[in-house]
Structures are given as structure tokens and as C-alpha cells.
Amino acid sequence: MVSIISRSLLSCANCCRIHVFLYMADSFFTLQTTDTATAARAGVLHTDNGNIQTPIFMPVGTVGTVKSLNQQQLSEQVRAQIILGNTYHLYLRPGIEVLEAAGGLHRFMNWERPILTDSGGYQVFSLASNRKITEEGAIFQSHIDGSRHLFSPETVMGIQRSIGADIMMAFDECPPYPSEYGYAKTSMELTHRWLVRCKNYLAENPPLYGYSQQLFPIVQGSTYADLRKASCEFVASLGAAGNAIGGLSVGEPDEMMYEHTAACCSYLPENKPRYLMGVGTPWNLLECIALGVDMFDCVMPTRNGRNGMLFTTQGVINIRNKKWAQDFSLIDEGLPPESRLPYTKAYLRHLFVADELLALQLASLQNLSYYLWLVGEARKHILQGSFSVWKAEMLLQCKVRL
Amino acid sequence: MVSIISRSLLSCANCCRIHVFLYMADSFFTLQTTDTATAARAGVLHTDNGNIQTPIFMPVGTVGTVKSLNQQQLSEQVRAQIILGNTYHLYLRPGIEVLEAAGGLHRFMNWERPILTDSGGYQVFSLASNRKITEEGAIFQSHIDGSRHLFSPETVMGIQRSIGADIMMAFDECPPYPSEYGYAKTSMELTHRWLVRCKNYLAENPPLYGYSQQLFPIVQGSTYADLRKASCEFVASLGAAGNAIGGLSVGEPDEMMYEHTAACCSYLPENKPRYLMGVGTPWNLLECIALGVDMFDCVMPTRNGRNGMLFTTQGVINIRNKKWAQDFSLIDEGLPPESRLPYTKAYLRHLFVADELLALQLASLQNLSYYLWLVGEARKHILQGSFSVWKAEMLLQCKVRL
């Protein structure tokens, strides 16, 4: 990681304290502050494609595009620091041959900042048909053309090498909610064996494009406390650059998700970033940041946005509602200037009612900008020592139905 | 027009020649140059919402949005100088009440440059159901909810006052191709009577938003030379700020369209802008610029773009074609930097194949940027005296199938 540290030295010329700290840490993750009243943390992830300030939300760019937005909008307006790609989708389209010929996903889609890819396991179980899980891996049929494929720890690591993600997720099985104890335990143990195979594959197959790729293992264990603990301990023992909590936000009540997230955070190493997969609403993010989570991803801001649900600094809006027909105030005055859309609620409502494509673009811009603003504000307050008070107020504000 | 001239004086402080010329012309249109080898012209349209350099192409923003693009993209990337709105669509959604409450379409959609609106006649005949034409106007049922409405010269002028377009089109009947002589003649005479009623209505009902609105009458007469001549003479006799040629590009062969366009241009006054409605392909634009047309609009660049047909400086591309799957050259290197998309053909093909929304945005940006580039280049060559040679080369280039 010496090259990364050198970069940090260059970019932190005016900040001697962090500068020295980074040098001493010599790590993928710099933990800057932990909140005194909660377990919330502020830190920095260092990748060869740039740094990421945590806590962070990662917009989902399933198939090499965050739906309806271009990459300039994503970097300049949304101010996304890292985006997520889906291994399953990218493997099927455009396919590994095209991605390798392009020199990886960054170059293919012209996105210079970091990318994280999931392992494809979740999509195999939620999208593909005729899937069969064996010790070797998962055999499935493509949801696009019915063609048959095998995803194994080795093939999935190979695909993520070809994609060139800065952060790669281990291949796992994500059990549904609810799951029987026996199934959850067997599944977790399989995920652990797969994890070792992922690690071994990567040790023998270096990155393709001249920059580092980090593997994040995934904690499973369904909703069973002892399994979660065992999974965290196994995952922690591998000493990965960062660790993910999977198998939550799959239908269980929010309180149960918080309970297991809190437990996992307490077991996982403090000096490594923690990524809670597939979460969630703005209030989910606030609660889980308070529990010690550093990274999030979710399709909610884009998917719900495309259905006319807006997240704003004032609360939640159903923009299709007749009440906005003559509301000529801006969509969200509270966002910073670069993210603030210069259009009114009345105009955006009209675009939705008239089924216009621009509606999808503007709603996606608004919601992602809001999510990035929210985690940025959280970070600011963690660094300032005011997170707890701010969070209590923001929890009320973000749930308001306008 | 004194206020406009004053504005021009302010904005042309570094250009004494045009400055003085504008003052002397005191008109809506400044004819700068007419090509010696063809009838092509370069000029400037002066509206209270800004000047427009002709020849110009106007992107179609049917219902207050150019499909899939936001207004910042339209002004900064496409560099559109004026856009077109559809009276029929805007009247149905968002409706006149909302547009008036917003202070007109410019403010409603946050577009500060000029807008032209059509009269709605064409849409009544092509989209609405159960339509019936009488001397009074056209009774029709909305294609959205089946509600019944009357469009007459007076109601349509009233709607365009509420929209606040800088250029308003007269209410006309657009006969289909082919039409019998008798029908074409009767229809043209009705359009002429409606035109007088449009003019009378406007004389008694001033603009609503503090800036000027110009009425453009529309020449009809189907494909009959004597009717076209009669219609041009009637239209010219009204001394409007600009004149439109309607009823072409409705299915007739290109050569027939050119023939009637040439005839109309020869009959219409030289010192007024000429707008050829609904045209067309890049080669249609080049041919009709050479015949003396100053303004164009067409859904082709956006509609065909959404189907994967790209117009580029190198020729026409079907971006869905397999041949682009690994073509990592930029979509169109030949466009100026502000319009040049930083994405490859391979990436855009992937977006189309994967049915991604970004495909529609990028293809629309490319095609509109190309159209605006094309008319800008035509203008440059008209001013330089090299139009004829350039046009011959460009006619070949723009038809190349890549």
C-alpha cells in the first residue's frame, strides 16, 4: 500500500496531523474519529482510484450505469465518491470479453472514481432461474436468454478481476428471511468455505489493470445471534481490508436488522471499514451509522425516485400528488448549490404525470444527492462531536411526509 | 421593438457594424448574408428572450421537456438557441391554469432562451380522436382522457398567450399527402380565414408576461403549385414578422418537398425569416437551407436517437449493431468539446442492448448536438461564402452509413 500512502502524502500537504497518521497506519482504512455517545465513526478509505470519506452511501450502477444518470451528473451533481456494480449483470452484459478489451469497468463506463462490485450471489438467488447450489458453486440460467452458467468462488473472483473493481465482494449464499436455524447454519458454513476459496484464488491471480483490488468477506448467519457471532469471528480472522454484513434488509423488521447490525459491529474489527449491504431508508442509514457502519448501498433512492417518491431535506414527497400541481418552490432548497435542482415541484410533478423521461432523471438526481448529502452531514457531525444531537433531529425530519 | 434594439445595442458593444445595422433595421429579423451560389441565408432573429442565429434547428420539447434531457444539457451541451413546444400537449398537460400560475412556459420549465409553439392543429389531426372541422374551428377528444375540446383561431391564440411563446404559430389545417385539389383548396382558404381571425384576436389581446410574441402565419396548399403561390401571396400580404411553410414532410417524396419549398421561398418576402415545419433529415436541412429556409424543427434526432439511430459528423450509425460491441472510439470525435460525449460506441451500444435509460439520454444529446453543429457549420460557411462547396461535401458525408 506504499503507493497509496505516498498519494495521501501529496494530497494532504496542508494537514500535518492526518498526514503523519496515514503514514503510520499504512492501511486501506483510516479511522479518524469515533463518536463518544454512539458507535458512529468517520474515516477515509484509500483506493488506487481515489479516497472515500466515510460514512458513505454508494449509488447502485447495476450494469455499468446508475439508472438514468450520466457519469458527469454522478460526480458533479450527486457527488458520488464510489459506485456499485453488479457482477451477475455485468457478466451477462456486456460480458467479460468486452470489459477486458475496454481495460475494465472504469474505462468502459468512463468513471474514474472507485467502484465496488458485489459477488453476484444475491442476483443468482433472486433473478436467475433453475438455480442449483452445490459445494462447487451455483449453477443457474440467465434471466435474459436462459443460457446456463456456473458461479463458483473462483469464477466470481475471476470475473471481478476482469471488471477491475477497487473493492470485490466474496461469493456467498444469502439465505432468505425467515430461514430455519439448520439451513442458516449450513449455508453460513458453505459461505465460509467459499470465502477461503475466494482468498486462495486471488492469491494466485493478480489484478489485471495495475491497481489494487481489495476483497471484502461477507458475514452471514441469518437472524441467529450465535451464527452471526461465529460468522463475524471467522470473517475477522481472515484480516481482510474491510468486512461486509450480508443477509440483512431482506424482509425482516427494522428492529431486528438493527439488533444484528449492532452485534456484528461489536464483533468486527474496529480498524476495518464495515459495509452493511443493501441498506436502506434514510432513517436506516442514520441508525446504522450510529451502530458503527461505514458503508451502504441500496437501490431505494433510484428505484423509488423513478416511482415518484422523493427524499428531501424537508422530508418525503410523493411528487405525483395533486397538491404539488401549482407548488412553484424548488424541489429541495436545502441541498448544496451543486446538487440543488433548478426546477420546481410543479414542473417535476408535471413530468411524472406526463410520463416524461426527464422525470426519472430529475428524481434520481434528487434522491441520490439527498443520500450523499445525508451521509456527508453525518460525517461532519461525527467529526464535530455533535452527531448524537443532530441524528435525533434528522431522524424526525427525514421521516416527515410532506 | 425599441426595447429589443436597445438590448442589442448593449450586447453588441464590441461590434459597431452590426450594432448600427440593427438600429437601422429596427426589425425582428436581420438578414446578414445571402449566398451567391444558392439561396442560403445567414441572419439573426431578435426576441425579447434572446437572439437566434440562423439557419437554426429547434429541438422539439413537446410537453415542456425535450425528451430525456434537462434544460442545462440543452443549453450547455446541445447549445440549443430556441426550442419548440406543442400547444395541443401543453394545453392538455399541465394545462393553461398551471402555466399561467407559473408565469408562462419559460419559467415553468426554467428555460430562459426563446420558445416557439405550434398551433396544435397538426396534433388535433394526427393524435386526437372524433375530430370535426367546422368554420369555427376543430372539435376533438383528448388522446389522454377522451375529454372534448374546441380549438379555434381565438382559443389557440389565447393558449399561446398563456404559454408565452416568443413565436406563435397561426391555427391551420394541415391536409394529408396526397390530397385532392378541391380539398386542398378549400382547406387552404379555411386556413387563410383562420389566419385573419388569429391576427384580429392578438390585436385585441396583448401578451401576458411583459415581452413580445410574434405570430408566424403558415403557408398551405398541399402539392399544388398554384395553391402554394396563392397561399404565399396571401401570407406575405399580412406582413408578419416571419412566415412558415406547412403541409410538407407529410409523406411526399423528398424531391417534391424541395420543389415546393423552393417555390415558397421565392414567393415569401426576403427580409422575413422562413420556417419549414417538421423537416427533417440532415440532408433535408442542407438542401432546404440552400433553398432559402432559415428555421427547422423535427422530432427525428430525438425519436430516432431513442431507437438507436445516431447522426454523427462521420455519418449515420445503428448503434445496436454488433459491430460496435468492442469499438472503444468516442461516439463522435468530430463535435466541438462542449458537445462531445466522453463515452465510447461500445458503451453506448451496451446501454441500448441492456435497455438502460442512459442510452436514451446519450443518443438524444448526440443527435441534437449534431443537428445544432450542422446548422452552425452551414451558417459559418454561408457567412464565409463557402457554403456551396461545403454543402456538396457534407451531403455525401451525412448520408454515409457507418
Side-chain angles (χ1 to χ4, degrees):
Chain A
M1 300 297 287
V2 173
S3 64
I4 297 167
I5 298 301
S6 306
R7 279 203 195 184
S8 302
L9 283 168
L10 284 171
S11 62
C12 296
N14 298 323
C15 172
C16 292
R17 198 175 62 85
I18 290 181
H19 177 261
V20 173
F21 184 62
L22 275 175
Y23 187 74
M24 291 170 66
D26 192 11
S27 79
F28 175 73
F29 181 58
T30 304
L31 179 60
Q32 294 176 294
T33 312
T34 300
D35 187 43
T36 48
T38 72
R41 303 123 58 87
V44 182
L45 292 174
H46 311 283
T47 83
D48 286 357
N49 285 305
N51 291 343
I52 301 151
Q53 299 185 307
T54 63
I56 191 66
F57 178 82
M58 303 181 283
V60 177
T62 304
V63 68
T65 164
V66 174
K67 289 192 191 306
S68 85
L69 304 185
N70 68 48
Q71 280 66 284
Q72 189 187 353
Q73 294 175 314
L74 213 49
S75 58
E76 293 175 12
Q77 290 183 254
V78 172
R79 300 187 304 167
Q81 297 183 45
I82 173 172
I83 60 171
L84 182 145
N86 288 115
T87 288
Y88 170 86
H89 290 92
L90 290 164
Y91 163 76
L92 294 177
R93 286 190 305 214
I96 295 316
E97 190 185 340
V98 171
L99 287 169
E100 284 193 2
L105 181 59
H106 290 84
R107 290 180 65 178
F108 182 64
M109 68 183 288
N110 190 24
W111 175 255
E112 293 178 355
R113 298 182 188 178
I115 296 175
L116 177 149
T117 39
D118 69 2
S119 70
Y122 186 79
Q123 280 74 29
V124 166
F125 305 121
S126 62
L127 288 179
S129 55
N130 289 331
R131 60 196 175 277
K132 189 181 167 207
I133 304 169
T134 66
E135 184 68 29
E136 172 62 11
I139 294 166
F140 63 93
Q141 283 188 285
S142 157
H143 74 289
I144 298 167
D145 63 4
S147 55
R148 293 188 72 78
H149 304 270
L150 166 72
F151 268 9
S152 70
E154 292 79 14
T155 63
V156 161
M157 288 302 107
I159 297 166
Q160 291 184 84
R161 282 287 193 226
S162 300
I163 294 172
D166 299 273
I167 301 174
M168 303 178 291
M169 302 308 298
F171 189 58
D172 65 334
E173 194 203 345
C174 178
Y177 172 82
S179 283
E180 295 288 334
Y181 184 85
Y183 177 78
K185 185 165 188 290
T186 306
S187 169
M188 179 195 77
E189 288 164 352
L190 179 64
T191 288
H192 290 176
R193 290 192 298 277
W194 283 355
L195 173 54
V196 174
R197 284 166 57 191
C198 288
K199 220 186 150 186
N200 290 342
Y201 179 91
L202 294 179
E204 289 162 19
N205 296 274
L208 302 180
Y209 308 119
Y211 54 82
S212 304
Q213 297 181 274
Q214 303 297 339
L215 174 70
F216 277 28
I218 302 173
V219 170
Q220 290 291 351
S222 187
T223 50
Y224 301 100
D226 63 324
L227 298 183
R228 285 278 164 190
K229 182 165 188 284
S231 192
C232 285
E233 286 169 352
F234 181 80
V235 155
S237 74
L238 296 187
N243 300 299
I245 304 166
L248 294 176
S249 198
V250 290
E252 79 284 4
D254 274 5
E255 289 309 320
M256 188 180 280
M257 191 246 288
Y258 298 147
E259 179 193 325
H260 289 288
T261 299
C264 289
C265 286
S266 74
Y267 301 132
L268 289 171
E270 192 191 1
N271 63 341
K272 302 290 175 68
R274 301 169 188 142
Y275 163 30
L276 179 58
M277 302 181 78
V279 173
T281 60
W283 42 100
N284 289 161
L285 264 62
L286 292 173
E287 295 291 8
C288 295
I289 288 170
L291 299 174
V293 173
D294 307 295
M295 303 164 69
F296 301 89
D297 80 283
C298 192
V299 294
M300 179 170 276
T302 39
R303 182 175 292 168
N304 291 27
R306 292 197 303 277
N307 289 321
M309 182 180 184
L310 303 185
F311 298 103
T312 79
T313 58
Q314 304 305 304
V316 180
I317 288 176
N318 176 357
I319 196 66
R320 289 177 174 277
N321 199 304
K322 180 97 173 106
K323 72 189 280 193
W324 308 113
Q326 295 200 34
D327 187 317
F328 300 112
S329 63
L330 287 184
I331 294 166
D332 190 356
E333 293 264 15
L335 288 179
E338 59 274 29
S339 303
R340 199 182 302 143
L341 293 168
Y343 306 102
T344 64
K345 297 180 180 76
Y347 181 61
L348 183 51
R349 175 187 187 265
H350 161 64
L351 294 177
F352 268 103
V353 170
D355 271 333
E356 280 291 334
L357 287 163
L358 182 55
L360 313 180
Q361 185 197 120
L362 296 184
S364 301
L365 280 171
Q366 167 61 34
N367 285 357
L368 286 178
S369 295
Y370 171 78
Y371 267 63
L372 268 294
W373 170 85
L374 187 70
V375 294
E377 289 292 296
R379 175 179 162 82
K380 194 173 78 183
H381 287 283
I382 294 166
L383 289 169
Q384 288 173 355
S386 52
F387 175 73
S388 191
V389 173
W390 172 82
K391 180 204 155 207
E393 288 168 8
M394 191 51 63
L395 264 182
L396 297 176
Q397 187 73 62
C398 72
K399 289 180 182 174
V400 169
R401 290 270 167 176
L402 294 171
Chain B
M1 298 295 286
V2 173
S3 64
I4 296 168
I5 300 301
S6 306
R7 277 203 197 183
S8 301
L9 283 170
L10 284 171
S11 61
C12 298
N14 298 322
C15 172
C16 291
R17 197 176 60 87
I18 290 179
H19 176 264
V20 173
F21 182 64
L22 274 176
Y23 187 75
M24 289 170 66
D26 192 11
S27 79
F28 175 71
F29 180 60
T30 304
L31 179 60
Q32 293 176 295
T33 312
T34 300
D35 186 43
T36 49
T38 72
R41 303 125 56 86
V44 182
L45 292 175
H46 312 281
T47 84
D48 286 357
N49 286 304
N51 291 344
I52 301 151
Q53 298 185 308
T54 62
I56 191 68
F57 178 82
M58 304 180 283
V60 177
T62 305
V63 67
T65 164
V66 174
K67 289 193 192 301
S68 85
L69 304 186
N70 68 48
Q71 280 67 283
Q72 191 187 350
Q73 294 174 313
L74 212 49
S75 58
E76 293 175 14
Q77 292 183 251
V78 171
R79 301 185 304 167
Q81 297 183 45
I82 173 172
I83 60 173
L84 182 146
N86 287 115
T87 288
Y88 170 86
H89 290 93
L90 290 164
Y91 163 77
L92 294 176
R93 287 190 304 214
I96 296 315
E97 190 184 340
V98 170
L99 287 169
E100 285 193 0
L105 180 59
H106 290 84
R107 291 181 64 178
F108 181 63
M109 69 181 289
N110 190 25
W111 175 255
E112 293 178 355
R113 298 182 188 177
I115 296 175
L116 177 150
T117 39
D118 70 2
S119 69
Y122 186 79
Q123 280 74 31
V124 166
F125 304 121
S126 62
L127 288 178
S129 55
N130 289 330
R131 58 196 177 278
K132 191 182 167 206
I133 303 169
T134 66
E135 185 67 29
E136 174 61 11
I139 295 167
F140 63 93
Q141 283 188 285
S142 157
H143 73 290
I144 298 166
D145 63 4
S147 54
R148 293 189 71 77
H149 305 270
L150 167 70
F151 269 10
S152 69
E154 293 78 14
T155 62
V156 162
M157 289 300 109
I159 296 167
Q160 290 185 86
R161 282 286 193 227
S162 300
I163 293 171
D166 300 272
I167 301 173
M168 304 178 291
M169 302 308 298
F171 189 58
D172 65 335
E173 194 203 346
C174 178
Y177 173 81
S179 284
E180 295 288 334
Y181 185 86
Y183 178 76
K185 184 167 189 287
T186 306
S187 169
M188 179 195 76
E189 289 164 352
L190 180 65
T191 288
H192 291 177
R193 289 193 298 276
W194 283 356
L195 173 54
V196 174
R197 284 166 56 190
C198 288
K199 222 186 148 188
N200 291 342
Y201 179 91
L202 294 179
E204 288 162 19
N205 296 275
L208 302 180
Y209 309 120
Y211 55 82
S212 303
Q213 297 181 275
Q214 304 296 340
L215 174 70
F216 277 27
I218 302 173
V219 170
Q220 289 292 353
S222 188
T223 50
Y224 300 101
D226 64 322
L227 296 183
R228 285 280 165 188
K229 182 167 188 282
S231 192
C232 284
E233 287 169 352
F234 181 80
V235 155
S237 74
L238 296 186
N243 300 300
I245 305 166
L248 293 177
S249 198
V250 291
E252 78 285 4
D254 274 5
E255 290 309 318
M256 189 180 280
M257 190 244 289
Y258 299 147
E259 178 194 326
H260 289 288
T261 298
C264 289
C265 286
S266 74
Y267 301 133
L268 289 170
E270 191 189 2
N271 63 341
K272 302 290 175 69
R274 301 169 189 143
Y275 163 30
L276 179 58
M277 303 181 78
V279 173
T281 60
W283 43 98
N284 288 161
L285 264 62
L286 292 173
E287 295 291 9
C288 295
I289 287 170
L291 298 174
V293 173
D294 307 295
M295 303 165 69
F296 300 90
D297 81 282
C298 192
V299 294
M300 178 170 276
T302 39
R303 182 175 293 167
N304 290 28
R306 293 198 303 278
N307 289 320
M309 183 182 184
L310 302 185
F311 298 103
T312 79
T313 57
Q314 304 306 304
V316 179
I317 288 177
N318 175 358
I319 196 65
R320 289 177 173 276
N321 198 305
K322 180 99 171 103
K323 72 187 280 192
W324 308 114
Q326 294 199 33
D327 187 318
F328 300 113
S329 64
L330 287 185
I331 295 167
D332 190 357
E333 293 265 15
L335 288 180
E338 59 274 29
S339 302
R340 197 183 303 144
L341 292 169
Y343 305 102
T344 64
K345 297 180 180 77
Y347 181 62
L348 183 51
R349 176 188 187 263
H350 162 64
L351 295 177
F352 268 103
V353 170
D355 271 334
E356 280 291 333
L357 287 163
L358 182 55
L360 313 180
Q361 186 197 120
L362 296 184
S364 301
L365 280 171
Q366 167 61 34
N367 285 356
L368 287 177
S369 294
Y370 170 78
Y371 267 64
L372 267 295
W373 170 84
L374 186 70
V375 295
E377 289 293 297
R379 175 180 162 81
K380 194 173 77 184
H381 287 282
I382 295 166
L383 290 170
Q384 288 172 355
S386 52
F387 175 74
S388 191
V389 174
W390 171 83
K391 182 205 154 206
E393 288 167 8
M394 191 50 63
L395 263 181
L396 297 176
Q397 188 73 62
C398 72
K399 288 180 182 174
V400 170
R401 289 270 166 177
L402 293 170

